[in-house]
Amino acid sequence: MFDQQNCRTPYAEFKNHLQRFSKKKLVQLQDSADKAQMSMGMTFNVYHDNQGIEKILHLDLIPRIISGSEWQIIEKGLIQRITALNKFIDDLYHDRAILKAGIIPEELVLSSSDYLQPCIGLKPPKDIWCHITGSDIVRDKSGKFYVLEDNLRCPSGVSYLLENREIIKQAFPQLFSDLGVRPVSNYSGMLLNMLQHLSDKPNPTVVVLTPGIYNSAYFEHSYLAQQMGVELVTGQDLIIKDKRVYMQTTKGLRQVDVIYRRIDDTFLDPLTFNPGSMLGVPGIFEAYKAGNVALANAPGTGVADDKAIYTYVPRIIEFYLKEDPIIENVPTYLCSEKEDLQYVIDNIEELVVKETNAAGGYGMMIGPKASKDEHDKFRKLVKADPRKYIAQPTLSLSTVPTITEKGIAPRHVDLRPYILYGEEIKVLPGALTRVALVEGSLVVNSSQGGGSKDTWVLFD
């Protein structure tokens, strides 16, 4: 919000407005926001938590504000990135030109647990693999944006973004028109249009496939289905006949044309992937291969989610688009590389070490915040299976004012914009800002105690 002592331009009007509130009034508003979240059912499940599984994703009242010109850079950078990643995924399952050219080590890709052999030769509808993406972006102390990681499998969080906006609009109703904040309420319509585009039928039947009520993002699954006006189904609601997918209804079977799946690839079809899966639909992959149903995102997309593959995204952009990346990666050390491995072992106290296939803040160690025992533990883990880990320097993440028990204080944030790839690639002009609620913490994940903020993208 401040550049040294000066308020940054996008925040100037909000700062004037905020100064009119007493501390008591802010606390009352924050309490109302918490109650609104609970009444809306804006909860998520935390696995391995002994105090109960259902919690609200705490919404801090003070928004993050991004100028139109700054957003333009983010938007162009993400469109470039998704274009290249889609070409990359398609290439991996067909010609493997990027591997033959030696741009990425073949072993790195083929050893990824998310590179799915059954998807080799697959042709998804409209040649689109990654329909919905939530890339994580961070900003360093100099104000420069970096992509921290890509989420192309089942990115979550957009429902909290949409509901956060509704709550914050009630807290600061006048400010939205005064500042010229770009709306996000049309996301559900954008999502439905994108899903319908995947089918050649004039009025395709779309459903949202959820693992069920115990999944951590079940609120989001039900919310998006309701907002789009489509059915929310589990694997037990769907059956396969003649390589076509049907939904069981009170009026009999109804053919399904497009499935927005919130189930991981390997649980999707027990006949093709994990035979022990009770969540998927036996035979659905054959129906997909036959072109009788569209799946978003396409199975096999997760290979581009692998944090070891992430290291090569700048080269992927250059290979397929012949362009320099608009938004750079965070510098990354591949533990599978001998020199990088030695550097990580020698400097683990200064680095953030991550499991290549973990998510939600699990399988991660922040060197400067960790104990000596944790350093030693991760040294052993990395040495035992180098392919499984990457490491990055500890960035000084940007901070945004946040309401705490001691008053307004800076807390570290990241940014998750949402990108839809249908007839064209569109970036929602808003994002989920995740905030580390613990003083000094760099971990923003909800599963690790992080919260969220509304993100205001201003018109130019």
Side-chain angles (χ1 to χ4, degrees):
M1 185 171 178
F2 289 90
D3 179 8
Q4 295 174 344
Q5 297 303 313
N6 302 314
C7 183
R8 294 177 60 242
T9 305
Y11 278 95
E13 182 66 30
F14 182 79
K15 172 178 168 281
N16 294 336
H17 190 83
L18 193 63
Q19 287 175 328
R20 299 183 198 133
F21 286 88
S22 65
K23 183 180 176 183
K24 183 180 178 183
K25 177 66 174 172
L26 270 180
V27 170
Q28 286 174 341
L29 276 175
Q30 185 64 66
D31 187 50
S32 297
D34 293 344
K35 288 175 179 171
Q37 283 187 283
M38 191 58 81
S39 66
M40 287 174 169
M42 285 178 67
T43 58
F44 68 98
N45 294 344
V46 180
Y47 307 126
H48 321 302
D49 191 319
N50 297 326
Q51 297 179 358
I53 60 171
E54 209 168 13
K55 297 185 176 182
I56 64 167
L57 178 62
H58 177 76
L59 166 62
D60 184 76
L61 273 184
I62 301 177
R64 181 184 197 166
I65 305 177
I66 299 175
S67 70
S69 56
E70 289 171 330
W71 187 255
Q72 210 168 35
I73 296 168
I74 292 172
E75 191 173 48
K76 286 181 179 176
L78 290 174
I79 289 172
Q80 178 197 56
R81 196 172 181 96
I82 298 307
T83 302
L85 285 174
N86 194 72
K87 290 178 181 292
F88 168 67
I89 299 165
D90 191 66
D91 183 26
L92 289 186
Y93 289 111
H94 291 91
D95 300 332
R96 298 185 183 172
I98 197 166
L99 303 185
K100 292 171 184 172
I103 306 299
I104 300 178
E106 188 171 307
E107 176 56 27
L108 189 74
V109 173
L110 302 185
S111 65
S112 172
S113 60
D114 290 306
Y115 183 71
L116 304 181
Q117 296 293 329
C119 295
I120 293 173
L122 191 67
K123 182 177 170 60
K126 310 291 169 78
D127 296 321
I128 304 169
W129 291 79
C130 46
H131 311 93
I132 304 143
T133 310
S135 292
D136 291 339
I137 294 177
V138 293
R139 195 174 194 172
D140 68 4
K141 58 186 176 184
S142 70
K144 186 174 180 178
F145 291 108
Y146 292 90
V147 175
L148 186 64
E149 62 184 55
D150 302 291
N151 298 287
L152 294 96
R153 281 172 290 191
C154 299
S156 62
V158 74
S159 59
Y160 302 105
L161 179 166
L162 300 172
E163 289 289 69
N164 286 354
R165 176 60 57 89
E166 292 305 310
I167 293 170
I168 298 298
K169 274 165 75 174
Q170 293 175 36
F172 308 115
Q174 188 60 39
L175 271 176
F176 283 85
S177 56
D178 289 350
L179 266 71
V181 180
R182 293 178 67 176
V184 295
S185 56
N186 61 337
Y187 177 81
S188 301
M190 290 167 58
L191 178 61
L192 183 59
N193 289 340
M194 182 276 291
L195 294 169
Q196 290 173 332
H197 172 71
L198 301 180
S199 173
D200 292 324
K201 289 188 178 179
N203 190 23
T205 297
V206 177
V207 299
V208 177
L209 176 60
T210 176
I213 60 171
Y214 295 109
N215 184 265
S216 62
Y218 181 74
F219 163 76
E220 176 154 299
H221 307 166
S222 57
Y223 175 85
L224 290 174
Q226 186 261 333
Q227 290 292 307
M228 288 191 289
V230 304
E231 294 293 337
L232 178 70
V233 298
T234 64
Q236 294 176 328
D237 298 317
L238 303 178
I239 61 170
I240 309 298
K241 289 181 70 176
D242 301 323
K243 294 188 179 181
R244 283 177 167 76
V245 183
Y246 293 90
M247 169 174 51
Q248 301 181 76
T249 75
T250 52
K251 296 179 181 178
L253 297 180
R254 180 180 175 187
Q255 188 173 346
V256 174
D257 305 303
V258 183
I259 299 174
Y260 174 20
R261 64 176 182 95
R262 297 300 295 259
I263 293 178
D264 284 346
D265 290 352
T266 52
F267 289 94
L268 198 55
D269 187 340
L271 299 182
T272 304
F273 302 113
N274 181 354
S277 172
M278 302 289 286
L279 301 174
V281 187
I284 195 171
F285 191 72
E286 287 300 315
Y288 178 62
K289 283 204 300 184
N292 294 327
V293 69
L295 296 172
N297 285 346
T301 303
V303 66
D305 250 4
D306 189 308
K307 291 181 176 67
I309 303 292
Y310 155 90
T311 312
Y312 290 91
V313 173
R315 297 184 212 179
I316 290 169
I317 292 170
E318 289 162 13
F319 183 79
Y320 294 106
L321 305 183
K322 306 296 185 284
E323 298 170 358
D324 291 328
I326 295 170
I327 309 178
E328 293 178 24
N329 273 14
V330 175
T332 304
Y333 301 97
L334 271 177
C335 295
S336 55
E337 301 281 337
K338 192 174 179 182
E339 286 185 13
D340 284 7
L341 173 62
Q342 192 57 53
Y343 181 85
V344 172
I345 297 299
D346 293 343
N347 298 276
I348 204 162
E349 298 89 353
E350 307 299 323
L351 300 169
V352 177
V353 182
K354 299 178 181 178
E355 236 182 88
T356 53
N357 280 302
Y362 297 104
M364 181 173 79
M365 183 212 67
I366 300 176
K369 305 282 183 184
S371 65
K372 188 177 184 302
D373 286 346
E374 287 174 296
H375 294 154
D376 292 340
K377 174 189 167 186
F378 266 79
R379 276 196 186 95
K380 289 175 185 173
L381 288 170
V382 171
K383 283 179 182 176
D385 191 354
R387 169 61 179 85
K388 199 176 175 183
Y389 293 92
I390 62 161
Q392 296 169 328
T394 309
L395 285 183
S396 178
L397 300 186
S398 58
T399 60
V400 175
T402 303
I403 297 172
T404 73
E405 290 180 358
K406 297 178 182 178
I408 295 175
R411 291 290 183 267
H412 294 290
V413 293
D414 79 351
L415 189 73
R416 178 175 287 184
Y418 292 88
I419 310 105
L420 298 178
Y421 192 165
E423 202 165 353
E424 57 183 321
I425 300 176
K426 294 183 178 179
V427 183
L428 185 71
L432 181 67
T433 288
R434 300 185 300 174
V435 55
L437 296 173
V438 178
E439 185 176 2
S441 173
L442 297 172
V443 183
V444 298
N445 304 77
S446 56
S447 53
Q448 308 296 319
S452 67
K453 286 176 170 288
D454 192 14
T455 308
W456 295 4
V457 175
L458 306 184
F459 285 104
D460 283 341

